Amino acid sequence: MFGRKTLEKKRVPTPAIEEGPYYKPNSPERQVIAEPGVYGSKLIVEGRVLDVYGKSIAHAWMDFWQADGKGQYDNADFKLRGHQFTDKNGRYYLETVRPVGYENRAPHIHAKVRATENSPILTTQLFFAGDIKNATDLIYDELAVMYARKFKDGEKVTFDFVAPTE
Ligand code: FE
């Protein structure tokens, strides 16, 4: 019985989704990646990094990068790029702008997550529920969808990553 119950509680891992062409290693460590002057409407993304059993992972490494509100990446510098580590409760917090889709892509935020130093890196992309471009984006995945709600002068979304630990 116990074993069965444990199995039922297992979470669906966050899907791995391709890195794309715009990743840059060595991003600055910061939670606010929308520097002053970055174009776009305010967005806060927060949540936890969990293992498949739902246990919060403290000090998980996370790296985010994305396009701005015009669908443009900063490939010369590190605008809208940053890495951080989850806190002791496995929580992360990202202050950014809502990205706009470019070419045939739906709006998305790229992320890499490494649960522990010995874990593989999960590379994925997060999408926005209800966006009309999701339907025609070939790498859209409904398991990587965020639900935005109005918050102060912008929006906020909550997303828990379920990351591999080994
Ligand atoms: Fe992209």
Side-chain angles (χ1 to χ4, degrees):
M1 275 308 270
F2 180 77
R4 190 171 159 211
K5 211 170 176 185
T6 305
L7 268 182
E8 282 169 358
K9 281 173 72 176
K10 243 186 158 183
R11 294 185 183 231
V12 180
T14 301
I17 301 178
E18 66 188 66
E19 180 179 281
Y22 301 120
Y23 180 63
K24 276 178 72 172
N26 307 314
S27 69
E29 180 174 356
R30 56 186 181 179
Q31 292 181 307
V32 180
I33 62 172
E35 299 161 39
V38 165
Y39 187 86
S41 62
K42 270 190 167 181
L43 177 72
I44 290 169
V45 185
E46 60 180 12
R48 295 170 297 166
V49 174
L50 307 171
D51 68 14
V52 288
Y53 300 104
K55 185 171 163 282
S56 300
I57 300 169
H59 208 67
W61 171 82
M62 312 180 81
D63 202 0
F64 295 99
W65 72 105
Q66 63 165 90
D68 65 12
K70 291 176 177 165
Q72 287 176 343
Y73 285 86
D74 177 11
N75 295 312
D77 200 6
F78 286 97
K79 282 195 195 84
L80 295 175
R81 299 172 185 271
H83 76 273
Q84 61 178 283
F85 297 88
T86 55
D87 70 11
K88 64 181 183 354
N89 299 312
R91 304 202 68 87
Y92 72 94
Y93 173 87
L94 184 71
E95 216 172 286
T96 185
V97 295
R98 190 189 246 267
V100 162
Y102 49 91
E103 295 159 17
N104 57 346
R105 296 301 321 281
H108 58 277
I109 296 175
H110 295 267
K112 286 180 182 283
V113 179
R114 190 181 60 214
T116 73
E117 280 185 16
N118 300 317
S119 305
I121 292 174
L122 166 70
T123 299
T124 192
Q125 304 185 21
L126 305 181
F127 297 88
F128 293 84
D131 195 281
I132 195 164
K133 290 184 84 176
N134 290 341
T136 51
D137 187 320
L138 296 177
I139 62 172
Y140 168 79
D141 192 318
E142 63 183 12
L143 290 174
V145 165
M146 306 182 290
Y147 293 84
R149 56 195 189 274
K150 286 207 184 317
F151 179 75
K152 293 184 181 170
D153 54 345
E155 292 170 292
K156 186 190 252 189
V157 303
T158 303
F159 187 86
D160 290 341
F161 290 85
V162 180
T165 49
E166 56 187 33

